[in-house]
Amino acid sequence: MILFFVRRYNDIDHTTPVVYRMFKDGYKDIAVLALNPEMEIDKDFRLKFLRDECNVVVDHVHQFFLPTVIHRFFAKLVCSFGDTNSSYTDLIMNSIKKIFKMSLGRYHSTFLNKFVFSCIFGQKWACNMMKQKKVTLLVFDWHKVRRANVSSLVEAGKELNIPILAIPHGVELSAAEIWTTAMAKTGKIYDFGDRGKDYDKIIIQHEPYKRLVVRGGVLPEKIRVLGVARFCSEWESILFNIIPPAEDYRKVCRGDKLRVVFMDHSSKYLLNVDETLNTVERLKKLDFVDLVIKPSTSSEKTISSMKLYEM
């Protein structure tokens, strides 16, 4: 079995076409597993396409393998299962989960990482899961392995000599070698060697980025330049036919306006916050423009300025 892991919704966007093509090329035993227990996978139209049209298993990683009652309990406790599930047990667990999260407050994420992801769903659990599922390949979006829910999987893969592949979760368009405030302060480029040390192979988007990644410490033989599957014509012809209508947006949108989507990100990426706010304010005042502001998919707080929510 081949396991693909997604952390955020943009990972789904870039992973889905790869999984679709593998299915089309004859690979049958594939699963896409959400690392974020709060990701609402049942509501995502791209994952629904993989599940319904490609016979791909879609699940939260912590619900994928439940060898004991303890695992089943904690999987129910931490994973989102959507509002449409009318199971009496799930309704009770949903109430317990809300109370549990409120009672822990700011210690909730610490509890998940230090206990649930490290002990209950730790490396031993991951090894047993991979053995039982007969896993032959692990595929992650390329990021630095830090969190316990990812490191347990990576370490288990290493222990069992399962190849670990990294694929892009976006399109690298920056031409600058220094692109964050932290790098600007030190004058040093990003440590790609540390970010890439846990992967056997890394797929990246284009040759200029490969040169930067190599300068940052990754061995050239570890890298394959294959572009971005999300924007290939074959996948886009499918994607544009499965995107559901945005009914809430249609209710407030005038059809004669120019639709503009501003895709914002954190100010740590050397964004000029004042210019960003000024530009958005000017766009908002144009009568012929219908403006939508979209924060980063990582978090509603990953935005250049919280003032954008007031606009």
Side-chain angles (χ1 to χ4, degrees):
M1 174 172 259
I2 298 173
L3 302 184
F4 284 81
F5 299 95
V6 291
R7 294 179 301 144
R8 300 169 179 168
Y9 289 101
N10 58 297
D11 301 341
I12 299 174
D13 213 30
H14 290 267
T15 299
T16 302
V18 178
V19 177
Y20 152 75
R21 185 66 214 195
M22 291 185 68
F23 167 78
K24 188 175 179 180
D25 289 343
Y27 294 89
K28 302 298 183 185
D29 205 6
I30 303 174
V32 177
L33 305 175
L35 293 164
N36 180 355
E38 296 187 354
M39 183 177 282
E40 296 180 325
I41 56 177
D42 292 337
K43 297 181 180 180
D44 191 276
F45 70 94
R46 298 156 299 186
L47 296 179
K48 184 178 185 299
F49 170 81
L50 291 180
R51 185 171 52 243
D52 296 346
E53 303 299 328
C54 303
N55 199 31
V56 170
V57 175
V58 176
D59 207 342
H60 287 97
V61 64
H62 306 106
Q63 291 179 329
F64 186 58
F65 178 62
L66 303 171
T68 70
V69 173
I70 293 175
H71 290 95
R72 288 195 291 273
F73 173 81
F74 277 99
K76 288 286 188 183
L77 186 64
V78 302
C79 293
S80 169
F81 48 80
D83 298 327
T84 58
N85 196 320
S86 57
S87 164
Y88 183 67
T89 302
D90 285 342
L91 290 174
I92 293 176
M93 286 303 302
N94 197 30
S95 298
I96 294 174
K97 180 166 62 175
K98 290 178 181 178
I99 296 171
F100 177 73
K101 191 172 183 179
M102 289 177 59
S103 63
L104 284 176
R106 61 191 180 96
Y107 297 106
H108 181 250
S109 60
T110 301
F111 174 78
L112 291 180
N113 286 312
K114 297 294 185 181
F115 179 69
V116 178
F117 298 150
S118 298
C119 300
I120 306 299
F121 296 100
Q123 186 175 337
K124 181 180 178 180
W125 166 86
C127 281
N128 291 334
M129 178 268 287
M130 292 176 193
K131 289 177 182 177
Q132 186 178 98
K133 302 293 185 178
K134 298 180 180 179
V135 176
T136 57
L137 177 65
L138 304 176
V139 185
F140 296 85
D141 75 287
W142 189 24
H143 69 285
K144 185 177 179 180
V145 177
R146 288 179 292 189
R147 295 184 181 275
N149 60 335
V150 180
S151 61
S152 62
L153 295 163
V154 169
E155 292 305 318
K158 292 179 181 178
E159 182 179 332
L160 299 175
N161 293 316
I162 298 172
I164 304 173
L165 177 67
I167 61 176
H169 58 229
V171 183
E172 182 56 56
L173 297 176
S174 175
E177 292 189 350
I178 304 295
W179 67 82
T180 69
T181 52
M183 285 190 281
K185 289 179 181 179
T186 63
K188 297 179 180 179
I189 66 173
Y190 188 79
D191 187 357
F192 287 104
D194 186 44
R195 178 177 167 183
K197 64 184 180 182
D198 292 301
Y199 305 100
D200 296 301
K201 294 292 181 182
I202 301 168
I203 295 174
I204 60 175
Q205 303 92 327
H206 49 74
E207 286 292 341
Y209 191 47
K210 176 184 176 180
R211 291 194 289 269
L212 178 61
V213 169
V214 171
R215 282 194 58 201
V218 177
L219 296 174
E221 55 267 28
K222 210 174 191 180
I223 301 170
R224 295 291 183 272
V225 178
L226 297 178
V228 183
R230 162 63 180 82
F231 295 102
C232 73
S233 57
E234 179 182 355
W235 173 246
E236 287 198 334
S237 66
I238 297 172
L239 180 64
F240 295 150
N241 284 311
I242 64 174
I243 295 176
E247 296 298 340
D248 291 340
Y249 174 67
R250 285 184 177 184
K251 293 176 183 178
V252 297
C253 173
R254 273 177 44 193
D256 59 340
K257 285 192 173 186
L258 176 66
R259 300 174 185 179
V260 177
V261 179
F262 176 67
M263 304 180 75
D264 195 59
H265 214 313
S266 169
S267 59
K268 74 178 183 179
Y269 292 104
L270 297 178
L271 298 181
N272 187 318
V273 176
D274 291 336
E275 286 296 331
T276 298
L277 293 174
N278 180 51
T279 300
V280 171
E281 186 65 37
R282 291 170 65 186
L283 283 171
K284 189 181 72 169
K285 292 178 179 179
L286 297 175
D287 291 336
F288 63 90
V289 168
D290 181 36
L291 177 64
V292 174
I293 300 173
K294 181 187 176 300
S296 167
T297 56
S298 60
S299 166
E300 62 181 11
K301 295 181 180 179
T302 307
I303 196 167
S304 58
S305 171
M306 297 303 290
K307 292 181 179 179
L308 288 174
Y309 284 109
E310 302 171 6
M311 294 183 173

